[in-house]
């Protein structure tokens, strides 16, 4: 699990951490629509409906760095 507060202190970025999301890309798009700053990052312990290059679907189970 990521220590979001430590990353924020070390980098100045805003970390939006979620235990589980469908897609970190979807979460990032929602944050942009809400006015999130340029130095924002979305991370999740698990991702259930990720999208890769050329629209390829994948999942990211807990315990990895993808």
């Amino acid at each position: 699990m990521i220590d979001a507060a430590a990353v924020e202190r070390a980098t100045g970025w805003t970390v939006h951490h979620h235990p589980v999301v469908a897609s970190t890309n979807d979460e990032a798009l929602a944050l942009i629509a809400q006015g999130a700053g340029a130095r924002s990052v979305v991370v999740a312990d698990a991702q259930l409906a990720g999208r890769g290059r050329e629209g390829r679907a994948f999942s990211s189970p807990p315990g990895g760095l993808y």
Side-chain angles (χ1 to χ4, degrees):
M1 182 188 241
I2 189 170
D3 185 344
V7 173
E8 288 180 345
R9 284 190 304 273
T11 66
W13 284 65
T14 300
V15 177
H16 301 271
H17 173 257
H18 304 277
V20 178
V21 294
S23 165
T24 53
N25 282 333
D26 290 344
E27 295 294 323
L29 289 171
L31 287 169
I32 290 167
Q34 296 168 14
R39 293 179 59 90
S40 296
V41 63
V42 177
V43 296
D45 297 330
Q47 181 175 224
L48 305 176
R51 291 184 312 280
R53 293 183 193 152
E54 299 181 16
R56 294 183 180 114
F58 66 91
S59 65
S60 307
L65 177 62
Y66 305 96

